[in-house]
Amino acid sequence: MIRPLWLQWGYTLFWIALFGVMCIGGYFMFRKFLKRLPKQDGRSELDWQEHYINETIHLWTDEKKALLRDLVAPVPELFRDVAKQKIAGKIGEIALAEKAEELKEEYIIRGYILATPKRDHKWLKETLQKKQIDLQPYQHLF
């Protein structure tokens, strides 16, 4: 049975689109898999994030949580929880390194800058300027 030419092209485009979507999904799954692999110390990148968050959870006040929510608001909703966890992990790492008794705004901003990829620093600076936060003390982090 011979199918019309438009139907054959439709099938071809469908399979190409399906293959493309599967490749994109596989790429993101593979990135997550790499983050889950243990490093030389026996813990993965995600394990360390969780550790830092759990060790500093008592330092987070409602005011600091609100600041973190405001800072990650420009991130698309689909990725917001992942971004918030990564930033909170970096903030926890900084707080533990400084042996902090309380979480300061400085730690939040430093963690926010360090956890954000370099390609996103343009909108990161815009977000901090909208919050009227002076970027001068943090220029060395960019």
mmCIF file of all heavy atoms in Angstrom, residues 49-76:
data_model
loop_
_atom_site.group_PDB
_atom_site.id
_atom_site.type_symbol
_atom_site.label_atom_id
_atom_site.label_comp_id
_atom_site.label_asym_id
_atom_site.label_seq_id
_atom_site.Cartn_x
_atom_site.Cartn_y
_atom_site.Cartn_z
ATOM 1 N N GLN A 49 25.792 19.113 48.748
ATOM 2 C CA GLN A 49 24.771 20.165 48.840
ATOM 3 C C GLN A 49 23.805 19.859 49.975
ATOM 4 O O GLN A 49 23.507 20.724 50.809
ATOM 5 C CB GLN A 49 23.969 20.256 47.537
ATOM 6 C CG GLN A 49 24.604 21.034 46.457
ATOM 7 C CD GLN A 49 23.719 21.079 45.218
ATOM 8 O OE1 GLN A 49 22.560 20.688 45.241
ATOM 9 N NE2 GLN A 49 24.281 21.550 44.125
ATOM 10 N N GLU A 50 23.326 18.633 50.006
ATOM 11 C CA GLU A 50 22.379 18.229 51.048
ATOM 12 C C GLU A 50 23.010 18.326 52.435
ATOM 13 O O GLU A 50 22.361 18.767 53.389
ATOM 14 C CB GLU A 50 21.921 16.795 50.758
ATOM 15 C CG GLU A 50 20.766 16.337 51.602
ATOM 16 C CD GLU A 50 20.295 14.956 51.167
ATOM 17 O OE1 GLU A 50 20.217 14.702 49.960
ATOM 18 O OE2 GLU A 50 20.015 14.144 52.077
ATOM 19 N N HIS A 51 24.270 17.927 52.548
ATOM 20 C CA HIS A 51 24.974 18.006 53.825
ATOM 21 C C HIS A 51 25.058 19.452 54.319
ATOM 22 O O HIS A 51 24.763 19.735 55.490
ATOM 23 C CB HIS A 51 26.376 17.415 53.672
ATOM 24 C CG HIS A 51 27.284 17.688 54.829
ATOM 25 N ND1 HIS A 51 27.155 17.050 56.035
ATOM 26 C CD2 HIS A 51 28.318 18.563 54.967
ATOM 27 C CE1 HIS A 51 28.079 17.503 56.861
ATOM 28 N NE2 HIS A 51 28.801 18.431 56.239
ATOM 29 N N TYR A 52 25.459 20.367 53.438
ATOM 30 C CA TYR A 52 25.588 21.771 53.831
ATOM 31 C C TYR A 52 24.236 22.363 54.222
ATOM 32 O O TYR A 52 24.146 23.147 55.169
ATOM 33 C CB TYR A 52 26.210 22.596 52.711
ATOM 34 C CG TYR A 52 27.662 22.265 52.447
ATOM 35 C CD1 TYR A 52 28.117 22.074 51.150
ATOM 36 C CD2 TYR A 52 28.577 22.143 53.483
ATOM 37 C CE1 TYR A 52 29.454 21.773 50.898
ATOM 38 C CE2 TYR A 52 29.906 21.838 53.240
ATOM 39 C CZ TYR A 52 30.341 21.653 51.952
ATOM 40 O OH TYR A 52 31.655 21.357 51.717
ATOM 41 N N ILE A 53 23.210 21.995 53.523
ATOM 42 C CA ILE A 53 21.869 22.501 53.850
ATOM 43 C C ILE A 53 21.428 21.984 55.208
ATOM 44 O O ILE A 53 20.926 22.743 56.048
ATOM 45 C CB ILE A 53 20.860 22.126 52.745
ATOM 46 C CG1 ILE A 53 21.164 22.912 51.470
ATOM 47 C CG2 ILE A 53 19.425 22.388 53.206
ATOM 48 C CD1 ILE A 53 20.384 22.449 50.255
ATOM 49 N N ASN A 54 21.614 20.684 55.457
ATOM 50 C CA ASN A 54 21.196 20.095 56.732
ATOM 51 C C ASN A 54 21.987 20.644 57.914
ATOM 52 O O ASN A 54 21.439 20.806 59.010
ATOM 53 C CB ASN A 54 21.320 18.571 56.683
ATOM 54 C CG ASN A 54 20.294 17.942 55.781
ATOM 55 O OD1 ASN A 54 19.235 18.512 55.511
ATOM 56 N ND2 ASN A 54 20.605 16.758 55.271
ATOM 57 N N GLU A 55 23.267 20.937 57.702
ATOM 58 C CA GLU A 55 24.098 21.462 58.785
ATOM 59 C C GLU A 55 23.769 22.910 59.143
ATOM 60 O O GLU A 55 24.054 23.351 60.252
ATOM 61 C CB GLU A 55 25.582 21.351 58.419
ATOM 62 C CG GLU A 55 26.102 19.931 58.407
ATOM 63 C CD GLU A 55 26.110 19.295 59.792
ATOM 64 O OE1 GLU A 55 26.527 19.954 60.752
ATOM 65 O OE2 GLU A 55 25.676 18.132 59.889
ATOM 66 N N THR A 56 23.200 23.655 58.202
ATOM 67 C CA THR A 56 22.932 25.075 58.453
ATOM 68 C C THR A 56 21.439 25.406 58.464
ATOM 69 O O THR A 56 21.094 26.583 58.489
ATOM 70 C CB THR A 56 23.634 25.940 57.380
ATOM 71 O OG1 THR A 56 23.168 25.559 56.085
ATOM 72 C CG2 THR A 56 25.133 25.797 57.459
ATOM 73 N N ILE A 57 20.589 24.413 58.470
ATOM 74 C CA ILE A 57 19.144 24.666 58.393
ATOM 75 C C ILE A 57 18.648 25.508 59.574
ATOM 76 O O ILE A 57 17.736 26.322 59.424
ATOM 77 C CB ILE A 57 18.358 23.334 58.290
ATOM 78 C CG1 ILE A 57 16.924 23.586 57.873
ATOM 79 C CG2 ILE A 57 18.361 22.565 59.588
ATOM 80 C CD1 ILE A 57 16.697 23.382 56.421
ATOM 81 N N HIS A 58 19.279 25.360 60.719
ATOM 82 C CA HIS A 58 18.859 26.112 61.907
ATOM 83 C C HIS A 58 19.219 27.597 61.807
ATOM 84 O O HIS A 58 18.696 28.413 62.568
ATOM 85 C CB HIS A 58 19.474 25.493 63.170
ATOM 86 C CG HIS A 58 20.967 25.583 63.212
ATOM 87 N ND1 HIS A 58 21.788 24.723 62.500
ATOM 88 C CD2 HIS A 58 21.786 26.433 63.871
ATOM 89 C CE1 HIS A 58 23.050 25.047 62.716
ATOM 90 N NE2 HIS A 58 23.083 26.082 63.557
ATOM 91 N N LEU A 59 20.103 27.967 60.895
ATOM 92 C CA LEU A 59 20.504 29.363 60.745
ATOM 93 C C LEU A 59 19.539 30.177 59.875
ATOM 94 O O LEU A 59 19.581 31.397 59.890
ATOM 95 C CB LEU A 59 21.908 29.445 60.122
ATOM 96 C CG LEU A 59 23.046 28.788 60.895
ATOM 97 C CD1 LEU A 59 24.341 28.875 60.099
ATOM 98 C CD2 LEU A 59 23.202 29.411 62.266
ATOM 99 N N TRP A 60 18.685 29.496 59.129
ATOM 100 C CA TRP A 60 17.795 30.175 58.182
ATOM 101 C C TRP A 60 16.586 30.755 58.903
ATOM 102 O O TRP A 60 15.777 30.026 59.457
ATOM 103 C CB TRP A 60 17.324 29.201 57.100
ATOM 104 C CG TRP A 60 18.385 28.866 56.114
ATOM 105 C CD1 TRP A 60 19.286 27.847 56.189
ATOM 106 C CD2 TRP A 60 18.667 29.565 54.899
ATOM 107 N NE1 TRP A 60 20.120 27.868 55.099
ATOM 108 C CE2 TRP A 60 19.756 28.907 54.287
ATOM 109 C CE3 TRP A 60 18.107 30.665 54.273
ATOM 110 C CZ2 TRP A 60 20.290 29.323 53.078
ATOM 111 C CZ3 TRP A 60 18.642 31.065 53.066
ATOM 112 C CH2 TRP A 60 19.715 30.416 52.481
ATOM 113 N N THR A 61 16.463 32.068 58.873
ATOM 114 C CA THR A 61 15.274 32.731 59.405
ATOM 115 C C THR A 61 14.289 32.947 58.255
ATOM 116 O O THR A 61 14.636 32.786 57.084
ATOM 117 C CB THR A 61 15.637 34.093 60.030
ATOM 118 O OG1 THR A 61 16.169 34.931 58.996
ATOM 119 C CG2 THR A 61 16.654 33.940 61.155
ATOM 120 N N ASP A 62 13.069 33.321 58.592
ATOM 121 C CA ASP A 62 12.063 33.575 57.560
ATOM 122 C C ASP A 62 12.496 34.713 56.636
ATOM 123 O O ASP A 62 12.248 34.682 55.430
ATOM 124 C CB ASP A 62 10.708 33.905 58.188
ATOM 125 C CG ASP A 62 10.084 32.694 58.877
ATOM 126 O OD1 ASP A 62 10.439 31.560 58.497
ATOM 127 O OD2 ASP A 62 9.246 32.891 59.778
ATOM 128 N N GLU A 63 13.162 35.707 57.208
ATOM 129 C CA GLU A 63 13.649 36.846 56.418
ATOM 130 C C GLU A 63 14.693 36.393 55.389
ATOM 131 O O GLU A 63 14.655 36.809 54.228
ATOM 132 C CB GLU A 63 14.254 37.874 57.363
ATOM 133 C CG GLU A 63 14.832 39.092 56.682
ATOM 134 C CD GLU A 63 15.499 40.009 57.696
ATOM 135 O OE1 GLU A 63 14.897 40.298 58.747
ATOM 136 O OE2 GLU A 63 16.639 40.430 57.412
ATOM 137 N N LYS A 64 15.602 35.519 55.804
ATOM 138 C CA LYS A 64 16.651 35.032 54.894
ATOM 139 C C LYS A 64 16.066 34.109 53.826
ATOM 140 O O LYS A 64 16.495 34.133 52.671
ATOM 141 C CB LYS A 64 17.753 34.293 55.670
ATOM 142 C CG LYS A 64 18.406 35.116 56.756
ATOM 143 C CD LYS A 64 18.989 36.416 56.235
ATOM 144 C CE LYS A 64 19.636 37.174 57.379
ATOM 145 N NZ LYS A 64 19.917 38.543 57.061
ATOM 146 N N LYS A 65 15.083 33.305 54.202
ATOM 147 C CA LYS A 65 14.414 32.447 53.218
ATOM 148 C C LYS A 65 13.684 33.292 52.173
ATOM 149 O O LYS A 65 13.704 32.971 50.988
ATOM 150 C CB LYS A 65 13.419 31.518 53.911
ATOM 151 C CG LYS A 65 14.064 30.432 54.731
ATOM 152 C CD LYS A 65 13.001 29.603 55.424
ATOM 153 C CE LYS A 65 13.612 28.611 56.387
ATOM 154 N NZ LYS A 65 12.588 27.855 57.135
ATOM 155 N N ALA A 66 13.069 34.375 52.629
ATOM 156 C CA ALA A 66 12.370 35.268 51.701
ATOM 157 C C ALA A 66 13.360 35.925 50.738
ATOM 158 O O ALA A 66 13.064 36.080 49.544
ATOM 159 C CB ALA A 66 11.588 36.323 52.472
ATOM 160 N N LEU A 67 14.523 36.305 51.236
ATOM 161 C CA LEU A 67 15.554 36.896 50.369
ATOM 162 C C LEU A 67 15.993 35.887 49.310
ATOM 163 O O LEU A 67 16.103 36.230 48.131
ATOM 164 C CB LEU A 67 16.755 37.354 51.193
ATOM 165 C CG LEU A 67 17.941 37.905 50.406
ATOM 166 C CD1 LEU A 67 17.544 39.118 49.578
ATOM 167 C CD2 LEU A 67 19.093 38.234 51.343
ATOM 168 N N LEU A 68 16.211 34.646 49.711
ATOM 169 C CA LEU A 68 16.604 33.615 48.749
ATOM 170 C C LEU A 68 15.508 33.398 47.705
ATOM 171 O O LEU A 68 15.797 33.284 46.514
ATOM 172 C CB LEU A 68 16.927 32.308 49.468
ATOM 173 C CG LEU A 68 17.356 31.141 48.583
ATOM 174 C CD1 LEU A 68 18.628 31.484 47.810
ATOM 175 C CD2 LEU A 68 17.557 29.883 49.404
ATOM 176 N N ARG A 69 14.256 33.366 48.148
ATOM 177 C CA ARG A 69 13.132 33.220 47.197
ATOM 178 C C ARG A 69 13.102 34.378 46.209
ATOM 179 O O ARG A 69 12.855 34.181 45.021
ATOM 180 C CB ARG A 69 11.803 33.141 47.950
ATOM 181 C CG ARG A 69 11.408 31.745 48.350
ATOM 182 C CD ARG A 69 9.955 31.679 48.771
ATOM 183 N NE ARG A 69 9.612 32.625 49.818
ATOM 184 C CZ ARG A 69 9.743 32.406 51.121
ATOM 185 N NH1 ARG A 69 10.221 31.258 51.543
ATOM 186 N NH2 ARG A 69 9.408 33.324 51.993
ATOM 187 N N ASP A 70 13.347 35.592 46.697
ATOM 188 C CA ASP A 70 13.357 36.760 45.810
ATOM 189 C C ASP A 70 14.506 36.693 44.802
ATOM 190 O O ASP A 70 14.348 37.096 43.648
ATOM 191 C CB ASP A 70 13.478 38.051 46.616
ATOM 192 C CG ASP A 70 12.215 38.372 47.390
ATOM 193 O OD1 ASP A 70 11.161 37.778 47.090
ATOM 194 O OD2 ASP A 70 12.280 39.223 48.300
ATOM 195 N N LEU A 71 15.646 36.204 45.250
ATOM 196 C CA LEU A 71 16.800 36.133 44.362
ATOM 197 C C LEU A 71 16.618 35.095 43.255
ATOM 198 O O LEU A 71 17.116 35.274 42.149
ATOM 199 C CB LEU A 71 18.073 35.836 45.155
ATOM 200 C CG LEU A 71 18.559 36.963 46.071
ATOM 201 C CD1 LEU A 71 19.756 36.500 46.880
ATOM 202 C CD2 LEU A 71 18.894 38.205 45.285
ATOM 203 N N VAL A 72 15.922 33.996 43.543
ATOM 204 C CA VAL A 72 15.725 32.967 42.515
ATOM 205 C C VAL A 72 14.431 33.159 41.730
ATOM 206 O O VAL A 72 14.124 32.362 40.854
ATOM 207 C CB VAL A 72 15.785 31.536 43.099
ATOM 208 C CG1 VAL A 72 17.134 31.237 43.677
ATOM 209 C CG2 VAL A 72 14.682 31.290 44.084
ATOM 210 N N ALA A 73 13.697 34.219 42.013
ATOM 211 C CA ALA A 73 12.441 34.473 41.303
ATOM 212 C C ALA A 73 12.614 34.597 39.791
ATOM 213 O O ALA A 73 11.748 34.130 39.039
ATOM 214 C CB ALA A 73 11.759 35.717 41.871
ATOM 215 N N PRO A 74 13.711 35.189 39.261
ATOM 216 C CA PRO A 74 13.854 35.272 37.807
ATOM 217 C C PRO A 74 14.109 33.925 37.118
ATOM 218 O O PRO A 74 13.967 33.814 35.914
ATOM 219 C CB PRO A 74 15.064 36.184 37.601
ATOM 220 C CG PRO A 74 15.272 36.888 38.885
ATOM 221 C CD PRO A 74 14.733 35.996 39.939
ATOM 222 N N VAL A 75 14.498 32.908 37.883
ATOM 223 C CA VAL A 75 14.760 31.591 37.305
ATOM 224 C C VAL A 75 13.423 30.996 36.862
ATOM 225 O O VAL A 75 12.438 31.082 37.589
ATOM 226 C CB VAL A 75 15.447 30.676 38.346
ATOM 227 C CG1 VAL A 75 15.655 29.281 37.804
ATOM 228 C CG2 VAL A 75 16.759 31.279 38.795
ATOM 229 N N PRO A 76 13.368 30.394 35.676
ATOM 230 C CA PRO A 76 12.122 29.762 35.246
ATOM 231 C C PRO A 76 11.621 28.766 36.289
ATOM 232 O O PRO A 76 12.413 28.067 36.931
ATOM 233 C CB PRO A 76 12.505 29.050 33.948
ATOM 234 C CG PRO A 76 13.688 29.796 33.446
ATOM 235 C CD PRO A 76 14.417 30.277 34.665
#
